[in-house]
Amino acid sequence: MSETSLSALSSESRRFEPPADLAATANVTAEVYERAAVDRLGFWAEQAHRLRWDRPWDEVLDWQPPFAKWFVGGQLNASVNCLDRHVAAGLGDRVAYHWVGEPEGDRRDITYAELLAEVSKAAHALTELGVEAGDRVCIYLPMIPEAAIAMLACARIGAAHSVVFGGFSAQALVDRITDADAKLVITADGGYRRGAPSALKPAVDEAVAQCPSVRNVLVVRRTGQEVTWGERDLWWHDVVDRQPDTHQAQAFDSEQPLFLLYTSGTTGRPKGILHTTGGFLTQVAWTHWAVFDLKPESDVYWCTADVGWVTGHSYAVYGPLANGATSVLYEGTPDAGGKDRWWSIVEEFAVTLLYTAPTAIRTFMKWGDELPNSHDLSSLRVLGSVGEPINPEAWIWYRDVIGGGRCPIVDTWWQTETGAMMISPLPGVTSSKPGSAMGPLPGISVDVVDNDGTSVGELGGGYLTLDEPWPAMLRGIWNDDERFRETYWSKFAGRYFAGDGAKWDDDHVLWLLGRVDDVMNVSGHRISTTEVESALVSHPMVAEAAVVGATDATTGQAIVAFVTVKGSVADDVSAGEAFAKELRDHVAKEIGPIAKPRQILITPELPKTRSGKIMRRLLRDVAEHRELGDVTTLADPTVVNAINAKMGSSSSED
Ligand code: WT7
């Protein structure tokens, strides 16, 4: 929260009103805000009625801070809500997914009836493999239809899935499988990335060797690349294809665990964020319908997030399917088969609603207007952004170049923990300011507070808190209630602290200002500084490591690591560079390529206070080439100069 970012915000005076035609037919109108404010629980109960319940709830909310139960006593099946009820309503022939594989021409349209049949078969297969309600299943797949099918099959039989992003390493898999005590891993031989098959199974092989809880590994054949086969391995097509394609689903309690999703916190160990069924599905379905103004019969929606992240869970799988929407699902990278790949997909399927991340938008800005301009993007009508603050420049570019100046932009703030969107404009109601997420959605209550927990009202900046429970809220950290209380509920008594800074401007609209803790946001993904530091220190030659997030024009933040070594690294530049590369690869092996530092500085010492605390603020200044802050508490002030001198000659990844 630097001074410059605060003053830059105050000068943003541009405002865009909702387009008249969109406002005239919008799913949600202004009165909803008022209604929800007067009767918050009544509002959410009304939204829960959009789902099919096998048993009605007795009570909307049971709130024993910090533990919430929503729609207490109610029973439903998430998979039935996403599939069976649409087929029963005569929508079986509607396309659920236009799936686009990365290789040119690789396409598969899957209707709701087909998806139901596939999920039914997979549900039978899971049961045959001994998976029961309450178990955990780890999913480590590329963006292929089987990813959604596997998730829905777990939900169908009451097992919780734990999807691990395919970019994570074997070690990261071991940690997540072990913490969740998963019985089954679902993976693929590989997936396509940047025009070539990229193996997944070797990481699983390496991981499950250390995971006795895993009984079987179910392997989808996607690329046909060679795999080594172990005793626990089974081909998906051998087990799933021979199952019956109808399945009688059972209803589960509203609070039945639906999934775990691991995310980084301020300490090294990832947290298994627990989400349950009824409240989660209610809020993702409603927000997806309201924030995108979804017209399921005519819209084509595309959420570009991988299912390995919460955005993929809430807005590529559960939200759109609960709403009976038609979605695009794309396997590959934005530049596979040409840097205009996304825009050719938008054109081919006449995508109307697009949901993506600022880091992607900034990348496309860099690639130039000609690429999107060479495609017909006139089908688009609402554009969404998520994952990090979107800078006004990127916002305007998104609106003008991608949206042709017609489409409202919904900048949606939320987190893995919140499960669903919390702060966002509504495209037919709220006027928008470039770079602002505007305000809380109906039924959501936020409060910006100062260090003492005192509300700043609706003017001024501080810490973002949520002061009322919401349906899709996390129900805890898997196996760690203490950490749940400590992490989210202890800084400000009785409130959820999100870890973000925020500011109300003169118009009383909200600006998100990024993380205030030791969590970096790289390309919209949370990575903890501690986690990368632990990975670095686990290298035999590293003595100490300090990691900071430095502002980066494309990825939002980039990882910069300061490292001291045991003994010495040869002083010539090439040896230093080889060593920095070795460390980067080491981090990729420990966590995954997404956590590779952009820059590694080998320094003789780290700047520390007299009590031995590493002075991150100083390192951040060094990493961002800012003028140095106060160094008087530094044990050895010359250290910083030494580091600064190194910065110029450091090895950095392009
Ligand atoms: C953190 C949560 C929500 C799905 C993707 C990320 C940042 C997210 C915004 C936004 C400003 C945002 C916050 C938040 N963030 N969306 N629209 N404006 N910041 O989920 O990995 O759990 O990360 O992402 O810092 O705390 P996540």
PDB file of all heavy atoms in Angstrom, residues 263 309-311 355 385-390 411-418 423 437 498-500 512-515 521 524-526, ligand 1:
ATOM      1  N   THR A 263      -4.100 -24.130  -0.438  1.00  0.00           N
ATOM      2  CA  THR A 263      -3.633 -22.806  -0.831  1.00  0.00           C
ATOM      3  C   THR A 263      -2.535 -22.350   0.113  1.00  0.00           C
ATOM      4  O   THR A 263      -2.412 -22.854   1.232  1.00  0.00           O
ATOM      5  CB  THR A 263      -4.798 -21.794  -0.858  1.00  0.00           C
ATOM      6  OG1 THR A 263      -4.331 -20.562  -1.407  1.00  0.00           O
ATOM      7  CG2 THR A 263      -5.349 -21.516   0.531  1.00  0.00           C
ATOM      8  N   TRP A 309      -7.350 -24.439  -9.731  1.00  0.00           N
ATOM      9  CA  TRP A 309      -7.521 -23.273  -8.863  1.00  0.00           C
ATOM     10  C   TRP A 309      -8.987 -23.136  -8.486  1.00  0.00           C
ATOM     11  O   TRP A 309      -9.868 -23.688  -9.146  1.00  0.00           O
ATOM     12  CB  TRP A 309      -7.059 -21.992  -9.579  1.00  0.00           C
ATOM     13  CG  TRP A 309      -5.700 -22.119 -10.170  1.00  0.00           C
ATOM     14  CD1 TRP A 309      -5.399 -22.182 -11.495  1.00  0.00           C
ATOM     15  CD2 TRP A 309      -4.450 -22.247  -9.470  1.00  0.00           C
ATOM     16  NE1 TRP A 309      -4.036 -22.322 -11.662  1.00  0.00           N
ATOM     17  CE2 TRP A 309      -3.432 -22.370 -10.436  1.00  0.00           C
ATOM     18  CE3 TRP A 309      -4.094 -22.264  -8.118  1.00  0.00           C
ATOM     19  CZ2 TRP A 309      -2.084 -22.498 -10.093  1.00  0.00           C
ATOM     20  CZ3 TRP A 309      -2.760 -22.393  -7.783  1.00  0.00           C
ATOM     21  CH2 TRP A 309      -1.770 -22.505  -8.772  1.00  0.00           C
ATOM     22  N   VAL A 310      -9.263 -22.321  -7.474  1.00  0.00           N
ATOM     23  CA  VAL A 310     -10.643 -22.209  -7.016  1.00  0.00           C
ATOM     24  C   VAL A 310     -11.543 -21.618  -8.101  1.00  0.00           C
ATOM     25  O   VAL A 310     -12.719 -21.980  -8.219  1.00  0.00           O
ATOM     26  CB  VAL A 310     -10.745 -21.398  -5.696  1.00  0.00           C
ATOM     27  CG1 VAL A 310     -10.512 -19.912  -5.932  1.00  0.00           C
ATOM     28  CG2 VAL A 310     -12.070 -21.662  -5.012  1.00  0.00           C
ATOM     29  N   THR A 311     -11.012 -20.737  -8.925  1.00  0.00           N
ATOM     30  CA  THR A 311     -11.836 -20.162  -9.991  1.00  0.00           C
ATOM     31  C   THR A 311     -12.360 -21.267 -10.906  1.00  0.00           C
ATOM     32  O   THR A 311     -13.512 -21.238 -11.341  1.00  0.00           O
ATOM     33  CB  THR A 311     -11.029 -19.128 -10.801  1.00  0.00           C
ATOM     34  OG1 THR A 311     -10.418 -18.219  -9.895  1.00  0.00           O
ATOM     35  CG2 THR A 311     -11.918 -18.356 -11.751  1.00  0.00           C
ATOM     36  N   TYR A 355     -14.301 -14.751 -18.658  1.00  0.00           N
ATOM     37  CA  TYR A 355     -13.811 -14.542 -17.289  1.00  0.00           C
ATOM     38  C   TYR A 355     -12.345 -14.910 -17.248  1.00  0.00           C
ATOM     39  O   TYR A 355     -11.989 -16.057 -17.476  1.00  0.00           O
ATOM     40  CB  TYR A 355     -14.617 -15.430 -16.343  1.00  0.00           C
ATOM     41  CG  TYR A 355     -14.498 -15.118 -14.866  1.00  0.00           C
ATOM     42  CD1 TYR A 355     -14.179 -13.852 -14.404  1.00  0.00           C
ATOM     43  CD2 TYR A 355     -14.768 -16.107 -13.919  1.00  0.00           C
ATOM     44  CE1 TYR A 355     -14.115 -13.580 -13.036  1.00  0.00           C
ATOM     45  CE2 TYR A 355     -14.709 -15.851 -12.550  1.00  0.00           C
ATOM     46  CZ  TYR A 355     -14.378 -14.587 -12.113  1.00  0.00           C
ATOM     47  OH  TYR A 355     -14.316 -14.321 -10.765  1.00  0.00           O
ATOM     48  N   SER A 385     -12.957 -10.171 -14.551  1.00  0.00           N
ATOM     49  CA  SER A 385     -11.548 -10.188 -14.155  1.00  0.00           C
ATOM     50  C   SER A 385     -11.454 -10.724 -12.738  1.00  0.00           C
ATOM     51  O   SER A 385     -12.299 -10.426 -11.897  1.00  0.00           O
ATOM     52  CB  SER A 385     -10.986  -8.769 -14.227  1.00  0.00           C
ATOM     53  OG  SER A 385      -9.680  -8.721 -13.684  1.00  0.00           O
ATOM     54  N   VAL A 386     -10.416 -11.491 -12.448  1.00  0.00           N
ATOM     55  CA  VAL A 386     -10.229 -12.053 -11.111  1.00  0.00           C
ATOM     56  C   VAL A 386      -8.776 -12.422 -10.850  1.00  0.00           C
ATOM     57  O   VAL A 386      -8.044 -12.747 -11.777  1.00  0.00           O
ATOM     58  CB  VAL A 386     -11.096 -13.321 -10.903  1.00  0.00           C
ATOM     59  CG1 VAL A 386     -10.691 -14.451 -11.831  1.00  0.00           C
ATOM     60  CG2 VAL A 386     -11.031 -13.813  -9.456  1.00  0.00           C
ATOM     61  N   GLY A 387      -8.388 -12.380  -9.601  1.00  0.00           N
ATOM     62  CA  GLY A 387      -7.098 -12.918  -9.196  1.00  0.00           C
ATOM     63  C   GLY A 387      -6.160 -11.916  -8.587  1.00  0.00           C
ATOM     64  O   GLY A 387      -5.327 -12.255  -7.758  1.00  0.00           O
ATOM     65  N   GLU A 388      -6.267 -10.680  -8.979  1.00  0.00           N
ATOM     66  CA  GLU A 388      -5.413  -9.633  -8.431  1.00  0.00           C
ATOM     67  C   GLU A 388      -6.034  -8.301  -8.844  1.00  0.00           C
ATOM     68  O   GLU A 388      -6.928  -8.265  -9.686  1.00  0.00           O
ATOM     69  CB  GLU A 388      -3.992  -9.757  -8.982  1.00  0.00           C
ATOM     70  CG  GLU A 388      -3.962  -9.751 -10.491  1.00  0.00           C
ATOM     71  CD  GLU A 388      -2.555  -9.745 -11.065  1.00  0.00           C
ATOM     72  OE1 GLU A 388      -1.752  -8.909 -10.610  1.00  0.00           O
ATOM     73  OE2 GLU A 388      -2.287 -10.534 -11.968  1.00  0.00           O
ATOM     74  N   PRO A 389      -5.550  -7.224  -8.243  1.00  0.00           N
ATOM     75  CA  PRO A 389      -6.091  -5.932  -8.668  1.00  0.00           C
ATOM     76  C   PRO A 389      -5.800  -5.731 -10.166  1.00  0.00           C
ATOM     77  O   PRO A 389      -4.717  -6.069 -10.635  1.00  0.00           O
ATOM     78  CB  PRO A 389      -5.296  -4.922  -7.831  1.00  0.00           C
ATOM     79  CG  PRO A 389      -4.737  -5.696  -6.680  1.00  0.00           C
ATOM     80  CD  PRO A 389      -4.546  -7.086  -7.183  1.00  0.00           C
ATOM     81  N   ILE A 390      -6.781  -5.225 -10.890  1.00  0.00           N
ATOM     82  CA  ILE A 390      -6.531  -4.939 -12.312  1.00  0.00           C
ATOM     83  C   ILE A 390      -6.220  -3.444 -12.420  1.00  0.00           C
ATOM     84  O   ILE A 390      -6.995  -2.609 -11.952  1.00  0.00           O
ATOM     85  CB  ILE A 390      -7.704  -5.382 -13.223  1.00  0.00           C
ATOM     86  CG1 ILE A 390      -7.425  -4.980 -14.667  1.00  0.00           C
ATOM     87  CG2 ILE A 390      -9.055  -4.886 -12.742  1.00  0.00           C
ATOM     88  CD1 ILE A 390      -8.346  -5.668 -15.678  1.00  0.00           C
ATOM     89  N   ASP A 411     -15.060  -6.658 -12.175  1.00  0.00           N
ATOM     90  CA  ASP A 411     -13.826  -6.974 -11.460  1.00  0.00           C
ATOM     91  C   ASP A 411     -14.251  -7.634 -10.162  1.00  0.00           C
ATOM     92  O   ASP A 411     -14.817  -6.992  -9.281  1.00  0.00           O
ATOM     93  CB  ASP A 411     -13.049  -5.676 -11.203  1.00  0.00           C
ATOM     94  CG  ASP A 411     -11.801  -5.900 -10.361  1.00  0.00           C
ATOM     95  OD1 ASP A 411     -11.449  -7.067 -10.077  1.00  0.00           O
ATOM     96  OD2 ASP A 411     -11.179  -4.901  -9.971  1.00  0.00           O
ATOM     97  N   THR A 412     -13.994  -8.942 -10.052  1.00  0.00           N
ATOM     98  CA  THR A 412     -14.551  -9.738  -8.964  1.00  0.00           C
ATOM     99  C   THR A 412     -13.483 -10.081  -7.935  1.00  0.00           C
ATOM    100  O   THR A 412     -12.527 -10.767  -8.243  1.00  0.00           O
ATOM    101  CB  THR A 412     -15.148 -11.046  -9.517  1.00  0.00           C
ATOM    102  OG1 THR A 412     -14.100 -11.810 -10.133  1.00  0.00           O
ATOM    103  CG2 THR A 412     -16.236 -10.763 -10.548  1.00  0.00           C
ATOM    104  N   TRP A 413     -13.668  -9.612  -6.720  1.00  0.00           N
ATOM    105  CA  TRP A 413     -12.736  -9.969  -5.643  1.00  0.00           C
ATOM    106  C   TRP A 413     -13.291 -11.137  -4.847  1.00  0.00           C
ATOM    107  O   TRP A 413     -14.457 -11.113  -4.424  1.00  0.00           O
ATOM    108  CB  TRP A 413     -12.506  -8.792  -4.694  1.00  0.00           C
ATOM    109  CG  TRP A 413     -11.557  -9.164  -3.581  1.00  0.00           C
ATOM    110  CD1 TRP A 413     -10.206  -9.013  -3.584  1.00  0.00           C
ATOM    111  CD2 TRP A 413     -11.896  -9.791  -2.330  1.00  0.00           C
ATOM    112  NE1 TRP A 413      -9.675  -9.513  -2.406  1.00  0.00           N
ATOM    113  CE2 TRP A 413     -10.678  -9.992  -1.627  1.00  0.00           C
ATOM    114  CE3 TRP A 413     -13.093 -10.220  -1.743  1.00  0.00           C
ATOM    115  CZ2 TRP A 413     -10.635 -10.594  -0.356  1.00  0.00           C
ATOM    116  CZ3 TRP A 413     -13.043 -10.821  -0.488  1.00  0.00           C
ATOM    117  CH2 TRP A 413     -11.820 -10.986   0.192  1.00  0.00           C
ATOM    118  N   TRP A 414     -12.472 -12.125  -4.658  1.00  0.00           N
ATOM    119  CA  TRP A 414     -12.801 -13.228  -3.747  1.00  0.00           C
ATOM    120  C   TRP A 414     -11.540 -14.043  -3.547  1.00  0.00           C
ATOM    121  O   TRP A 414     -10.476 -13.638  -3.987  1.00  0.00           O
ATOM    122  CB  TRP A 414     -13.983 -14.064  -4.270  1.00  0.00           C
ATOM    123  CG  TRP A 414     -13.830 -14.659  -5.656  1.00  0.00           C
ATOM    124  CD1 TRP A 414     -13.766 -13.979  -6.839  1.00  0.00           C
ATOM    125  CD2 TRP A 414     -13.732 -16.047  -5.987  1.00  0.00           C
ATOM    126  NE1 TRP A 414     -13.641 -14.860  -7.881  1.00  0.00           N
ATOM    127  CE2 TRP A 414     -13.618 -16.135  -7.389  1.00  0.00           C
ATOM    128  CE3 TRP A 414     -13.760 -17.227  -5.245  1.00  0.00           C
ATOM    129  CZ2 TRP A 414     -13.512 -17.360  -8.056  1.00  0.00           C
ATOM    130  CZ3 TRP A 414     -13.663 -18.437  -5.911  1.00  0.00           C
ATOM    131  CH2 TRP A 414     -13.540 -18.491  -7.301  1.00  0.00           C
ATOM    132  N   GLN A 415     -11.655 -15.172  -2.851  1.00  0.00           N
ATOM    133  CA  GLN A 415     -10.489 -15.973  -2.493  1.00  0.00           C
ATOM    134  C   GLN A 415     -10.853 -17.453  -2.468  1.00  0.00           C
ATOM    135  O   GLN A 415     -12.040 -17.790  -2.384  1.00  0.00           O
ATOM    136  CB  GLN A 415     -10.024 -15.640  -1.070  1.00  0.00           C
ATOM    137  CG  GLN A 415      -9.805 -14.189  -0.772  1.00  0.00           C
ATOM    138  CD  GLN A 415      -9.387 -13.990   0.670  1.00  0.00           C
ATOM    139  OE1 GLN A 415     -10.155 -14.260   1.589  1.00  0.00           O
ATOM    140  NE2 GLN A 415      -8.164 -13.524   0.873  1.00  0.00           N
ATOM    141  N   THR A 416      -9.832 -18.283  -2.457  1.00  0.00           N
ATOM    142  CA  THR A 416     -10.047 -19.717  -2.258  1.00  0.00           C
ATOM    143  C   THR A 416     -10.936 -19.918  -1.025  1.00  0.00           C
ATOM    144  O   THR A 416     -11.863 -20.735  -1.032  1.00  0.00           O
ATOM    145  CB  THR A 416      -8.698 -20.430  -2.043  1.00  0.00           C
ATOM    146  OG1 THR A 416      -7.847 -20.132  -3.154  1.00  0.00           O
ATOM    147  CG2 THR A 416      -8.888 -21.928  -1.916  1.00  0.00           C
ATOM    148  N   GLU A 417     -10.676 -19.138   0.006  1.00  0.00           N
ATOM    149  CA  GLU A 417     -11.405 -19.292   1.264  1.00  0.00           C
ATOM    150  C   GLU A 417     -12.849 -18.832   1.169  1.00  0.00           C
ATOM    151  O   GLU A 417     -13.723 -19.383   1.848  1.00  0.00           O
ATOM    152  CB  GLU A 417     -10.711 -18.484   2.370  1.00  0.00           C
ATOM    153  CG  GLU A 417      -9.359 -19.021   2.794  1.00  0.00           C
ATOM    154  CD  GLU A 417      -8.205 -18.479   1.936  1.00  0.00           C
ATOM    155  OE1 GLU A 417      -8.473 -17.983   0.819  1.00  0.00           O
ATOM    156  OE2 GLU A 417      -7.056 -18.547   2.397  1.00  0.00           O
ATOM    157  N   THR A 418     -13.118 -17.802   0.390  1.00  0.00           N
ATOM    158  CA  THR A 418     -14.501 -17.307   0.331  1.00  0.00           C
ATOM    159  C   THR A 418     -15.359 -18.196  -0.564  1.00  0.00           C
ATOM    160  O   THR A 418     -16.577 -18.152  -0.481  1.00  0.00           O
ATOM    161  CB  THR A 418     -14.591 -15.848  -0.167  1.00  0.00           C
ATOM    162  OG1 THR A 418     -14.263 -15.797  -1.554  1.00  0.00           O
ATOM    163  CG2 THR A 418     -13.697 -14.922   0.633  1.00  0.00           C
ATOM    164  N   ILE A 423     -16.985  -9.340  -3.753  1.00  0.00           N
ATOM    165  CA  ILE A 423     -17.008  -7.919  -4.099  1.00  0.00           C
ATOM    166  C   ILE A 423     -16.949  -7.806  -5.611  1.00  0.00           C
ATOM    167  O   ILE A 423     -16.044  -8.365  -6.241  1.00  0.00           O
ATOM    168  CB  ILE A 423     -15.795  -7.193  -3.473  1.00  0.00           C
ATOM    169  CG1 ILE A 423     -15.775  -7.411  -1.958  1.00  0.00           C
ATOM    170  CG2 ILE A 423     -15.808  -5.705  -3.819  1.00  0.00           C
ATOM    171  CD1 ILE A 423     -14.526  -6.862  -1.285  1.00  0.00           C
ATOM    172  N   ALA A 437     -13.198  -2.786  -7.719  1.00  0.00           N
ATOM    173  CA  ALA A 437     -14.187  -3.864  -7.656  1.00  0.00           C
ATOM    174  C   ALA A 437     -15.524  -3.338  -7.129  1.00  0.00           C
ATOM    175  O   ALA A 437     -16.459  -4.102  -6.899  1.00  0.00           O
ATOM    176  CB  ALA A 437     -13.665  -5.015  -6.802  1.00  0.00           C
ATOM    177  N   ALA A 498      -9.124 -11.114   5.629  1.00  0.00           N
ATOM    178  CA  ALA A 498      -8.818 -11.695   4.327  1.00  0.00           C
ATOM    179  C   ALA A 498      -7.330 -11.647   3.973  1.00  0.00           C
ATOM    180  O   ALA A 498      -6.885 -12.337   3.080  1.00  0.00           O
ATOM    181  CB  ALA A 498      -9.624 -10.957   3.252  1.00  0.00           C
ATOM    182  N   GLY A 499      -6.560 -10.788   4.665  1.00  0.00           N
ATOM    183  CA  GLY A 499      -5.140 -10.659   4.309  1.00  0.00           C
ATOM    184  C   GLY A 499      -4.887  -9.584   3.261  1.00  0.00           C
ATOM    185  O   GLY A 499      -3.764  -9.403   2.825  1.00  0.00           O
ATOM    186  N   ASP A 500      -5.944  -8.868   2.847  1.00  0.00           N
ATOM    187  CA  ASP A 500      -5.806  -7.831   1.821  1.00  0.00           C
ATOM    188  C   ASP A 500      -5.987  -6.444   2.433  1.00  0.00           C
ATOM    189  O   ASP A 500      -6.749  -6.266   3.379  1.00  0.00           O
ATOM    190  CB  ASP A 500      -6.885  -7.981   0.728  1.00  0.00           C
ATOM    191  CG  ASP A 500      -6.552  -9.075  -0.256  1.00  0.00           C
ATOM    192  OD1 ASP A 500      -5.855 -10.025   0.133  1.00  0.00           O
ATOM    193  OD2 ASP A 500      -6.998  -8.978  -1.417  1.00  0.00           O
ATOM    194  N   LEU A 512      -9.229  -2.631  -4.007  1.00  0.00           N
ATOM    195  CA  LEU A 512      -8.421  -3.658  -3.369  1.00  0.00           C
ATOM    196  C   LEU A 512      -6.957  -3.318  -3.604  1.00  0.00           C
ATOM    197  O   LEU A 512      -6.561  -2.983  -4.721  1.00  0.00           O
ATOM    198  CB  LEU A 512      -8.735  -5.041  -3.951  1.00  0.00           C
ATOM    199  CG  LEU A 512      -9.993  -5.739  -3.417  1.00  0.00           C
ATOM    200  CD1 LEU A 512     -10.019  -5.690  -1.907  1.00  0.00           C
ATOM    201  CD2 LEU A 512     -11.252  -5.173  -3.997  1.00  0.00           C
ATOM    202  N   LEU A 513      -6.165  -3.420  -2.538  1.00  0.00           N
ATOM    203  CA  LEU A 513      -4.792  -2.932  -2.617  1.00  0.00           C
ATOM    204  C   LEU A 513      -3.742  -4.025  -2.492  1.00  0.00           C
ATOM    205  O   LEU A 513      -2.577  -3.738  -2.237  1.00  0.00           O
ATOM    206  CB  LEU A 513      -4.569  -1.872  -1.530  1.00  0.00           C
ATOM    207  CG  LEU A 513      -5.532  -0.684  -1.585  1.00  0.00           C
ATOM    208  CD1 LEU A 513      -5.326   0.231  -0.397  1.00  0.00           C
ATOM    209  CD2 LEU A 513      -5.385   0.093  -2.888  1.00  0.00           C
ATOM    210  N   GLY A 514      -4.136  -5.286  -2.624  1.00  0.00           N
ATOM    211  CA  GLY A 514      -3.137  -6.357  -2.578  1.00  0.00           C
ATOM    212  C   GLY A 514      -2.926  -6.893  -1.172  1.00  0.00           C
ATOM    213  O   GLY A 514      -3.519  -6.418  -0.201  1.00  0.00           O
ATOM    214  N   ARG A 515      -2.077  -7.898  -1.077  1.00  0.00           N
ATOM    215  CA  ARG A 515      -1.850  -8.589   0.191  1.00  0.00           C
ATOM    216  C   ARG A 515      -1.073  -7.704   1.161  1.00  0.00           C
ATOM    217  O   ARG A 515      -0.203  -6.940   0.758  1.00  0.00           O
ATOM    218  CB  ARG A 515      -1.042  -9.871  -0.060  1.00  0.00           C
ATOM    219  CG  ARG A 515      -1.659 -10.837  -1.058  1.00  0.00           C
ATOM    220  CD  ARG A 515      -2.875 -11.529  -0.581  1.00  0.00           C
ATOM    221  NE  ARG A 515      -2.674 -12.218   0.687  1.00  0.00           N
ATOM    222  CZ  ARG A 515      -3.620 -12.964   1.254  1.00  0.00           C
ATOM    223  NH1 ARG A 515      -4.813 -13.111   0.663  1.00  0.00           N
ATOM    224  NH2 ARG A 515      -3.402 -13.563   2.383  1.00  0.00           N
ATOM    225  N   ASN A 521       1.456 -12.591  -4.862  1.00  0.00           N
ATOM    226  CA  ASN A 521       0.429 -12.898  -5.847  1.00  0.00           C
ATOM    227  C   ASN A 521       1.094 -12.847  -7.225  1.00  0.00           C
ATOM    228  O   ASN A 521       1.329 -11.790  -7.786  1.00  0.00           O
ATOM    229  CB  ASN A 521      -0.711 -11.882  -5.737  1.00  0.00           C
ATOM    230  CG  ASN A 521      -1.889 -12.260  -6.620  1.00  0.00           C
ATOM    231  OD1 ASN A 521      -1.714 -12.836  -7.702  1.00  0.00           O
ATOM    232  ND2 ASN A 521      -3.085 -11.948  -6.186  1.00  0.00           N
ATOM    233  N   GLY A 524      -1.835 -14.036 -10.414  1.00  0.00           N
ATOM    234  CA  GLY A 524      -3.119 -14.381  -9.814  1.00  0.00           C
ATOM    235  C   GLY A 524      -3.079 -15.623  -8.955  1.00  0.00           C
ATOM    236  O   GLY A 524      -4.111 -16.118  -8.523  1.00  0.00           O
ATOM    237  N   HIS A 525      -1.877 -16.135  -8.681  1.00  0.00           N
ATOM    238  CA  HIS A 525      -1.776 -17.309  -7.823  1.00  0.00           C
ATOM    239  C   HIS A 525      -1.015 -16.975  -6.565  1.00  0.00           C
ATOM    240  O   HIS A 525       0.019 -16.326  -6.600  1.00  0.00           O
ATOM    241  CB  HIS A 525      -1.090 -18.459  -8.556  1.00  0.00           C
ATOM    242  CG  HIS A 525      -1.798 -18.822  -9.810  1.00  0.00           C
ATOM    243  ND1 HIS A 525      -3.144 -19.076  -9.819  1.00  0.00           N
ATOM    244  CD2 HIS A 525      -1.382 -18.924 -11.079  1.00  0.00           C
ATOM    245  CE1 HIS A 525      -3.512 -19.341 -11.062  1.00  0.00           C
ATOM    246  NE2 HIS A 525      -2.465 -19.246 -11.845  1.00  0.00           N
ATOM    247  N   ARG A 526      -1.547 -17.461  -5.470  1.00  0.00           N
ATOM    248  CA  ARG A 526      -0.924 -17.166  -4.188  1.00  0.00           C
ATOM    249  C   ARG A 526       0.240 -18.097  -3.917  1.00  0.00           C
ATOM    250  O   ARG A 526       0.115 -19.304  -3.977  1.00  0.00           O
ATOM    251  CB  ARG A 526      -1.959 -17.321  -3.092  1.00  0.00           C
ATOM    252  CG  ARG A 526      -2.661 -16.042  -2.790  1.00  0.00           C
ATOM    253  CD  ARG A 526      -3.988 -16.302  -2.197  1.00  0.00           C
ATOM    254  NE  ARG A 526      -3.876 -16.931  -0.886  1.00  0.00           N
ATOM    255  CZ  ARG A 526      -4.940 -17.238  -0.153  1.00  0.00           C
ATOM    256  NH1 ARG A 526      -6.152 -16.997  -0.612  1.00  0.00           N
ATOM    257  NH2 ARG A 526      -4.801 -17.787   1.016  1.00  0.00           N
TER     258      ARG A 526
HETATM  259  C1  WT7 B   1      -6.267 -13.309  -3.361  1.00  0.00           C
HETATM  260  C2  WT7 B   1      -6.952 -14.638  -3.329  1.00  0.00           C
HETATM  261  C3  WT7 B   1     -10.420 -15.622  -6.370  1.00  0.00           C
HETATM  262  C4  WT7 B   1      -9.857 -16.587  -7.268  1.00  0.00           C
HETATM  263  C5  WT7 B   1      -8.458 -16.383  -7.686  1.00  0.00           C
HETATM  264  C6  WT7 B   1      -7.474 -16.114  -6.581  1.00  0.00           C
HETATM  265  C7  WT7 B   1      -6.332 -11.447  -4.749  1.00  0.00           C
HETATM  266  C8  WT7 B   1      -8.401 -11.947  -6.126  1.00  0.00           C
HETATM  267  C9  WT7 B   1      -8.958  -9.961  -6.812  1.00  0.00           C
HETATM  268  C10 WT7 B   1      -9.497  -8.771  -7.386  1.00  0.00           C
HETATM  269  C11 WT7 B   1      -7.849  -7.545  -6.249  1.00  0.00           C
HETATM  270  C12 WT7 B   1      -7.826  -9.844  -5.980  1.00  0.00           C
HETATM  271  C13 WT7 B   1      -6.490 -11.002  -3.315  1.00  0.00           C
HETATM  272  C14 WT7 B   1      -7.007 -12.233  -2.622  1.00  0.00           C
HETATM  273  N1  WT7 B   1      -7.498 -11.091  -5.577  1.00  0.00           N
HETATM  274  N2  WT7 B   1      -9.265 -11.278  -6.884  1.00  0.00           N
HETATM  275  N3  WT7 B   1     -10.558  -8.799  -8.205  1.00  0.00           N
HETATM  276  N4  WT7 B   1      -8.911  -7.593  -7.065  1.00  0.00           N
HETATM  277  N5  WT7 B   1      -7.278  -8.642  -5.706  1.00  0.00           N
HETATM  278  O1  WT7 B   1      -7.741 -16.875  -5.427  1.00  0.00           O
HETATM  279  O2  WT7 B   1      -5.480 -17.772  -4.881  1.00  0.00           O
HETATM  280  O3  WT7 B   1      -7.274 -17.638  -3.137  1.00  0.00           O
HETATM  281  O4  WT7 B   1      -6.144 -15.571  -4.007  1.00  0.00           O
HETATM  282  O5  WT7 B   1      -6.176 -12.863  -4.710  1.00  0.00           O
HETATM  283  O6  WT7 B   1      -5.248 -10.637  -2.806  1.00  0.00           O
HETATM  284  O7  WT7 B   1      -6.725 -12.275  -1.249  1.00  0.00           O
HETATM  285  P1  WT7 B   1      -6.653 -17.037  -4.334  1.00  0.00           P
END
